[in-house]
Amino acid sequence: MTVTLEQPASTTTRDPKELLNAVAPHITELTVNVFDSGMSLWDREIALLLRDHTMVRDMAERILGNAVMYVMGSIENPDVHLGVGKLVDIGVHQLILDTPVWWGICRLYNGGRFKHHAPFIERRRDGLCLRTGEFLRSQGWPIDEELWAIDGTDCSPCDDKVPDSH
């Protein structure tokens, strides 16, 4: 018996909005919940951020954009340890919590393999957040310098056992 995994989608764009909206055809679970509003996936995730957090749309878009950059960076570079600060992590959690969208991201960009999220309790304070911002920029992502600098060395308590988690 031969099992073939899909190859991760090649990303020719570095536009987080385009990358997220491209996931729509790969969502197969709870499609009524996801698509009943008629919104694009980008607008749906922004609406959910605004529903659950006190922020203006511009900040929600900045956070979600950098979260998509981080997720894509961690998928495209599974052997590189990356981490986010508290603010960008809000967007990462938004993507993970909208599980039909998260599965679509994994299907399209991670070859159908599930990307785990298993944080530790204690925050890391070793500069990983700043190094991640620099790494993403080196990969062509238009990171929001301010969002990556806000948390500076106060990084999410992510696992350092790549590539199994981010």
Side-chain angles (χ1 to χ4, degrees):
M1 178 175 163
T2 303
V3 176
T4 305
L5 289 176
E6 286 181 39
Q7 292 297 314
S10 172
T11 55
T12 57
T13 180
R14 285 302 197 217
D15 181 330
K17 187 175 185 177
E18 288 180 24
L19 290 166
L20 184 56
N21 285 335
V23 171
H26 301 273
I27 296 173
T28 58
E29 297 86 16
L30 301 172
T31 55
V32 171
N33 297 42
V34 175
F35 298 119
D36 66 348
S37 68
M39 295 178 174
S40 68
L41 290 183
W42 178 265
D43 288 332
R44 172 185 167 76
E45 300 309 312
I46 294 298
L48 290 168
L49 281 170
L50 292 172
R51 181 194 73 184
D52 294 339
H53 302 279
T54 304
M55 65 178 77
V56 296
R57 184 176 178 96
D58 176 66
M59 181 57 80
E61 288 183 342
R62 290 170 65 192
I63 289 170
L64 183 61
N66 280 265
V68 170
M69 292 177 215
Y70 166 75
V71 167
M72 293 302 299
S74 69
I75 288 171
E76 291 173 352
N77 303 280
D79 295 325
V80 177
H81 184 54
L82 303 173
V84 296
K86 292 177 186 179
L87 199 51
V88 175
D89 209 24
I90 292 169
V92 174
H93 288 163
Q94 178 54 54
L95 293 170
I96 293 169
L97 289 173
D98 198 351
T99 59
V101 173
W102 186 246
W103 268 108
I105 289 169
C106 292
R107 277 189 196 100
L108 178 59
Y109 297 119
N110 201 36
R113 294 176 307 276
F114 187 75
K115 186 76 169 168
H116 292 279
H117 180 66
F120 291 118
I121 301 300
E122 295 296 319
R123 289 204 165 275
R124 297 173 56 133
R125 290 179 171 80
D126 62 359
L128 180 62
C129 181
L130 294 173
R131 291 192 304 275
T132 297
E134 290 297 320
F135 177 80
L136 293 175
R137 183 183 19 261
S138 78
Q139 299 294 299
W141 294 104
I143 67 163
D144 185 320
E145 300 282 344
E146 188 175 45
L147 292 185
W148 290 92
I150 284 173
D151 293 312
T153 60
D154 195 18
C155 187
S156 61
C158 47
D159 193 346
D160 61 1
K161 310 289 186 291
V162 295
D164 297 328
S165 63
H166 65 86

